[in-house]
Amino acid sequence: MGSNTGAEARPELSAALSGEELSRWYWTLAELTVLARELGVPRGGGKAALTERLQAALDGVAPPAAPPRTRSAGRQLVAPVNGFTVIPAGQRCSQVLREYFRREIGEGFHFDASMRTFVAEGAGRTLADAVAHWLATRQAAAQPQEIGSQFELNRFLRDWYADRPAGSRTEALAAWRAQRDRPRRPAAG
């Protein structure tokens, strides 16, 4: 860990931690999943939900109530699709849709937040409507977007490069490793 002599060291991720200590440090989803398996904690959901369940388990309290499942187990679109194809309820941003949109829009197409929302909430609309939505949202999509709190690495890299436009990826990743190995806040007490 470089020249952080005397700095607090990140603990080993284990059942011996408290929920508070778990929340003080950065952990990858893969690391949290291993601990969840060890503790018998359900591993589904996102990183934030898993972290909450692990904190509860480590502190010996009841886990938070699981949110209701929002995704429909409906059928997914299969190729071939065209502009008249209707988006079914529960459709995901699949390779079938990616291939269709790349054919219609071009290689620059990608599923951004606006398109993911359109597909998720677009039941009953057509793929032609989705293409029109993509084209109509490009100006707004070109503006800086908020990066969700669950994407800590992406947020760090955006801010790091804003401060160091000539910085290299190697330097940025080294800075990230140093950042994630520091506690998020001081120890309680």
Side-chain angles (χ1 to χ4, degrees), residues 7-19:
E8 191 175 358
R10 183 174 176 234
E12 181 179 333
L13 183 59
S14 73
L17 292 178
S18 68

Side-chain angles (χ1 to χ4, degrees), residues 114-134:
S114 177
M115 279 302 281
R116 287 190 303 271
T117 300
F118 186 92
V119 170
E121 299 173 358
R125 300 177 82 180
T126 67
L127 293 183
D129 294 333
V131 169
H133 174 77
W134 167 266

Side-chain angles (χ1 to χ4, degrees), residues 1-7:
M1 190 161 70
S3 63
N4 286 341
T5 305

Side-chain angles (χ1 to χ4, degrees), residues 90-170:
Q91 178 63 45
R92 292 184 298 274
C93 297
S94 65
Q95 288 302 317
V96 169
L97 292 185
R98 183 183 313 280
E99 290 169 13
Y100 169 76
F101 292 135
R102 284 211 169 137
R103 275 195 318 270
E104 296 298 314
I105 295 167
E107 288 300 313
F109 172 79
H110 58 277
F111 283 111
D112 60 11
S114 177
M115 279 302 281
R116 287 190 303 271
T117 300
F118 186 92
V119 170
E121 299 173 358
R125 300 177 82 180
T126 67
L127 293 183
D129 294 333
V131 169
H133 174 77
W134 167 266
L135 296 173
T137 59
R138 291 311 85 205
Q139 186 173 5
Q143 301 303 312
Q145 305 293 313
E146 179 63 28
I147 299 175
S149 61
Q150 72 271 34
F151 302 113
E152 294 174 74
L153 170 61
N154 295 1
R155 292 172 75 131
F156 177 86
L157 291 175
R158 178 201 55 202
D159 296 343
W160 191 89
Y161 280 117
D163 291 341
R164 300 162 195 83
S168 73
R169 180 149 180 87
T170 302

Side-chain angles (χ1 to χ4, degrees), residues 12-16 32-41 43 54:
E12 181 179 333
L13 183 59
S14 73
L32 295 171
T33 300
V34 169
L35 180 61
R37 188 174 291 121
E38 178 183 320
L39 296 176
V41 171
R43 297 179 306 274
L54 286 169

